[in-house]
Amino acid sequence: MGIVGLGVMGHNLALNMVDKGVRAVVYDPWPQVRARFAENPGPLEVADSLAALVEALPSPRSLLIMVKAGEPVDDVAAQLAPLLSPGDTLIDGGNSHYRDTMRREASLREKGLNFIGLGVSGGEEGARHGPSLMAGGDETAYARVSPVLEAIAARHEGAPCCALVGSDGAGHFVKMVHNGIEYAVMQLISEIYVLLRDVAGLDYPAMARVFRDWNETTVASYLVEITAGILDRADDLGSGPLVEKILDKAGQKGTGQWSSEAALSLGVPTPTITEAVFARNLAARKDERVAASAALAGPDAAKRPDDVDGFVEDARRALLCGTVIAYAQGLATIAAAANERGWAVDLAAVAGVWRAGCIIRARLLDDVMHAFEGPEPPANLLLAPYFGALVAEQQGGWRRIVADAVRAGVPVPGLSSALAYYDGYRSARLGANLIQAQRDCFGAHSYERTDRPGSFHTEW
């Protein structure tokens, strides 16, 4: 396998391949990086040019591109295309926008070349020891590279967390939505953290124990696991918990926004994913928030709950329900895109790939996978019998937590939007009839009636 790009992810994927017995010939566009690896290549074969890289690979060739998304991918593909032969395969393992992947796949197909958009999740650790891999592209091309991809992927109960999820841009679309769900679950956890700290009055060791205990329950996940460790970490440059010294501004690279934009364009409601993006945008306005905190009034200080253990259990139930909603919104977006694009996406396979190696891996995903198996998968995860019953059983604690947060003036856009989504989805009749009447009143947009067919307009 040829690899272009020796940054953190490219380098670790290359080492992962070598560990699995795969020959890895590598190249980096930056001369200083090539020079550093040439001096100490370790188990890697370092090429000094793209031509040398291509020449070193047997035909049909497979090359993994691990450079920054955007123009760098186009530049590398344009330089490689004249050097390759029909039937060779380029794989883009970066966080490329799925529309760019569709464009590249179509362009290279005209040249007789295969192009696979590969979503890679797991960060540096995953790349080195086993990521979750979501591929989109031609079935024949994937079959040729799948032995290598499956060898380096994470494994769950012996099965590789790697799959062809559809054609052209499907792999990068699924990875994009994975990141949207990641944004949502991280937001939910951060809201629970503030409630435990500011309403329940727990100290950091107690909060760490809570999350550690929760990681032995249905809500267990990689993000819950690392949260316990983060809350336990002392500041090595001062005193007290490290997280208290971290500025409350969270960065983002754009994939959460892309996920929300895609959902909007498809007409799929994903309020919890989108609120997670908005929450980061609001957090970024630190100076404005500090000024507003002195100018704007809120409710009186929250009273510590009489039953702290009960509050903590309600918080666990809220996190569990919110996480289910985040998965439901993300999977509904993937299903809608698959329907529009003609991608044969198997949602059970998607959930299976997410069970290990990736950032959103969680105990729930086994049940998510089973929910979409069979000839008639549910239209929404919430309509799967297991999840419908789970949320029905847990919703009382979820509702109490959202109410407690509102009374205390603690912002919980993730938890509250998830609850509103649930209540909206289960409502046989909403208030949109009034909205449509308003549209007809000011814009003559007409309306449908419940008691007879046709389109109607009223002179209001």
Side-chain angles (χ1 to χ4, degrees), residues 202-254:
L202 299 187
D203 61 17
Y204 277 84
M207 287 191 288
R209 286 193 299 272
V210 165
F211 278 96
R212 196 165 288 114
D213 290 345
W214 287 356
N215 207 42
E216 301 299 323
T217 71
T218 314
V219 80
S221 70
Y222 170 72
L223 287 169
V224 168
E225 177 187 356
I226 67 170
T227 298
I230 289 168
L231 295 174
D232 243 350
R233 184 63 179 264
D235 182 7
D236 53 0
L237 298 178
S239 61
L242 174 58
V243 73
E244 275 292 313
K245 305 295 176 57
I246 297 175
L247 187 66
D248 58 330
K249 293 169 61 173
Q252 51 185 319
K253 293 185 176 180

Side-chain angles (χ1 to χ4, degrees), residues 303-439:
K303 178 185 175 185
R304 182 183 170 105
D306 294 330
D307 181 3
V308 173
D309 289 342
F311 184 91
V312 169
E313 173 57 17
D314 281 351
R316 186 193 68 82
R317 292 169 181 257
L319 178 57
L320 175 60
C321 292
T323 300
V324 171
I325 297 299
Y327 282 123
Q329 292 175 11
L331 291 167
T333 304
I334 293 171
N339 183 61
E340 181 172 286
R341 301 289 180 186
W343 296 331
V345 178
D346 179 354
L347 294 182
V350 170
V353 164
W354 288 345
R355 290 181 299 169
C358 70
I359 305 302
I360 65 170
R361 60 187 183 267
R363 185 175 297 179
L364 280 173
L365 282 164
D366 273 323
D367 295 308
V368 174
M369 183 182 73
H370 296 319
F372 287 99
E373 290 175 336
E376 295 185 9
N380 186 291
L381 181 64
L382 291 170
L383 297 179
Y386 172 80
F387 285 100
L390 178 67
V391 174
E393 179 186 357
Q394 306 290 326
Q395 66 175 309
W398 183 17
R399 293 181 186 282
R400 286 189 292 271
I401 282 292
V402 171
D404 287 342
V406 172
R407 280 192 291 267
V410 175
V412 287
L415 292 168
S416 59
S417 67
L419 183 56
Y421 175 89
Y422 175 70
D423 284 339
Y425 192 69
R426 67 178 188 82
S427 295
R429 193 175 188 198
L430 295 169
N433 52 328
L434 178 59
I435 295 172
Q436 191 60 24
Q438 291 170 330
R439 296 183 72 242

Side-chain angles (χ1 to χ4, degrees), residues 4 29-30 50 65-80 90 92 94-97 99-101 103-104 108 115 258:
V4 179
W30 293 92
L50 285 176
I65 302 172
M66 295 299 301
V67 300
K68 185 178 180 180
E71 289 186 13
V73 178
D74 287 321
D75 292 343
V76 170
Q79 293 173 57
L80 280 171
L90 293 179
D92 174 16
N95 269 333
S96 291
H97 195 284
R99 291 185 184 275
D100 289 336
T101 302
R103 170 179 56 79
R104 290 166 185 145
L108 291 167
F115 188 80
W258 291 353

Side-chain angles (χ1 to χ4, degrees), residues 41 81-82 107 116 149 158 185 189 196 198 204 208 266 279 344 349 371 376 379 388 390 394 423 446 448 456:
S107 174
I116 291 175
L149 299 182
V185 177
I189 291 173
L196 295 179
D198 295 350
Y204 277 84
L266 291 163
E376 295 185 9
L390 178 67
Q394 306 290 326
D423 284 339
S446 75
E448 297 175 89
F456 297 84

Side-chain angles (χ1 to χ4, degrees), residues 4-40:
V4 179
L6 289 171
V8 170
M9 294 296 287
H11 182 210
N12 280 288
L13 285 169
L15 293 175
N16 187 349
M17 289 181 190
V18 172
D19 287 348
K20 305 303 188 299
V22 177
R23 177 177 172 239
V25 186
V26 302
Y27 170 82
D28 193 275
W30 293 92
Q32 57 269 40
V33 176
R34 291 199 304 274
R36 186 173 75 249
F37 277 93
E39 290 175 4
N40 184 23

